Amino acid sequence: MELKAVVFSIPYGVVFVVLGLFVNLLQAICFLTIRPLSKSAYRKINGTVASLLWLVHICLLEWWAGLKVKLYTDLETYRLMGKEHALLMPNHMCDADVLIGFLLAQRLGCLRSALMVMKKSAKYLPIFGWTSWFLGFVFLNRSWEKDESNLKRSLQGLKDFPMPFWLTMYAEGTRMTPDKLSEAQKFAASRKLPIPKNVLIPRTKGFVTAVKNLRSFVPAVYDVTLAVPEGHSTPSLRTIMERKSTMVKIHIKRYSMKELPQSDEAIAQWCRDRFVAKDSMLDKFRAEGTFGDQEIHDTGRSIMALLVNCSSCYLIYLAMVKLCQKFSLLSTWRGVGVLVTSFAAIVLLMHIFIEYTKLPKQKGVQTTQSTRGKATDFKFN
């Protein structure tokens, strides 16, 4: 982790750790006391509590790093977003996709019920993973034999969800990298499939299971396409910490669950067809820098996120000053040692988060000449 990211992560890390542990404590109390009495009330309270932590992340994106997000969709879809249950199917562009998903959910009024399907290892991340587990995120092993029953059970458990929810599922199963794109292109060529340039080939078993288990009470699938315009860098947790401003453009097309086919293979082919169309859309985006004339007016940065972050900073740092004064932590070597150890632990935790989210080192593979042009337009970090 670069020194600049380490230095910038300390003030955010203090708020993230202290607020996060407070949120986790409240979640644990609600889990033990409210959930046995009313699962619906637990979900509402839990979502509100967790959104405090997510709003700090959103403030980091918008107010600290200056990330700009532009949304493209039709007005009918825009009016429905945040007011209905939906299964989201985005391309997995970068390691900040999860945070961008929170930002989009907040703008459209469903941050409290923004759920995701994630790899199991994320569940063990301190604070973030714990918060996600209490919220009901679905964690998978990436082994279908182990995941099938867990996924079905988790999806059926959403039937009585008391608020409009978004369930985000990354059908590609992993983040885009040049190595993985090259592997996807080789696989597509060997199976005589359309060769992707901007996305990976989706793993359809999870998506098929999601559609079959959700279609009775979830009215829509949102096909979400994210792209970074030319001249802007792909966002990552490290670049966000370093205050490197960038822009992400998001296109959303709504499909009614009633439109989707019935058989497993037909649903799987529908998913693959969407990613072929998504790939073509990204090709056009590279040439034009836009998703067309459906841009929704930007509501601007979230004032609520700024207020939550500023209030949290004030209360946490005020409490730290009071503790230092009460226990004379700055006037004894022991007290200084406690403070240094605490800050070192926070730096270590932030390092773990940044390393966990970083894209793996690439092997330097090259795409074939026929597909190289647009694929290498991505600015991978």
Side-chain angles (χ1 to χ4, degrees), residues 66-96:
L67 176 70
K68 295 179 177 62
V69 173
K70 293 190 176 180
L71 175 64
Y72 295 77
T73 191
D74 60 273
L75 288 176
E76 181 181 355
T77 298
Y78 183 69
R79 294 189 187 103
L80 288 171
M81 291 175 70
K83 299 179 179 64
E84 64 176 356
H85 297 330
L87 173 64
L88 274 65
M89 185 180 67
N91 55 312
H92 208 348
M93 180 185 68
C94 65
D95 60 26

Side-chain angles (χ1 to χ4, degrees), residues 41-264:
Y42 166 76
R43 280 171 160 167
K44 289 179 180 179
I45 296 170
N46 190 20
T48 301
V49 170
S51 66
L52 296 175
L53 188 62
W54 299 159
L55 284 167
V56 171
H57 293 318
I58 292 169
C59 184
L60 182 74
L61 290 176
E62 292 188 314
W63 293 91
W64 174 259
L67 176 70
K68 295 179 177 62
V69 173
K70 293 190 176 180
L71 175 64
Y72 295 77
T73 191
D74 60 273
L75 288 176
E76 181 181 355
T77 298
Y78 183 69
R79 294 189 187 103
L80 288 171
M81 291 175 70
K83 299 179 179 64
E84 64 176 356
H85 297 330
L87 173 64
L88 274 65
M89 185 180 67
N91 55 312
H92 208 348
M93 180 185 68
C94 65
D95 60 26
D97 286 345
V98 172
L99 301 183
I100 294 170
F102 288 151
L103 190 156
L104 186 63
Q106 193 275 331
R107 289 190 178 186
L108 294 164
C110 61
L111 180 61
R112 295 186 303 160
S113 51
L115 309 176
M116 295 186 185
V117 179
M118 305 181 75
K119 59 183 178 181
K120 188 176 180 180
S121 59
K123 179 168 65 174
Y124 304 109
L125 282 173
I127 300 173
F128 180 89
W130 305 339
T131 305
S132 302
W133 182 84
F134 278 118
L135 275 175
F137 280 31
V138 182
F139 297 97
L140 302 181
N141 290 287
R142 291 182 174 175
S143 170
W144 188 242
E145 292 75 15
K146 298 178 181 178
D147 291 334
E148 184 176 11
S149 60
N150 176 44
L151 181 59
K152 288 180 179 178
R153 182 174 61 254
S154 299
L155 295 171
Q156 287 296 315
L158 297 174
K159 274 187 176 180
D160 57 352
F161 206 90
M163 304 170 286
F165 68 79
W166 283 3
L167 178 65
T168 299
M169 174 176 281
Y170 294 100
E172 293 163 293
T174 187
R175 294 167 292 175
M176 166 73 79
T177 68
D179 285 348
K180 291 171 184 174
L181 177 60
S182 178
E183 291 171 4
Q185 291 171 338
K186 291 176 183 177
F187 176 82
S190 69
R191 300 295 180 92
K192 297 182 179 180
L193 300 172
I195 297 177
K197 301 176 184 178
N198 309 288
V199 296
L200 304 179
I201 298 173
R203 303 175 184 181
T204 56
K205 285 184 178 180
F207 181 78
V208 171
T209 299
V211 170
K212 292 179 67 178
N213 284 274
L214 295 176
R215 72 189 320 160
S216 64
F217 59 96
V218 173
V221 175
Y222 294 168
D223 185 9
V224 183
T225 305
L226 298 92
V228 176
E230 186 176 358
H232 293 79
S233 61
T234 302
S236 69
L237 188 55
R238 178 181 60 81
T239 59
I240 290 168
M241 291 294 182
E242 294 176 351
R243 300 195 71 186
K244 293 183 178 178
S245 179
T246 188
M247 177 184 290
V248 175
K249 296 190 176 183
I250 304 175
H251 180 273
I252 299 178
K253 182 173 177 59
R254 182 185 184 275
Y255 292 92
S256 170
M257 277 284 190
K258 295 178 181 178
E259 299 176 26
L260 271 65
Q262 296 295 322
S263 71
D264 290 11

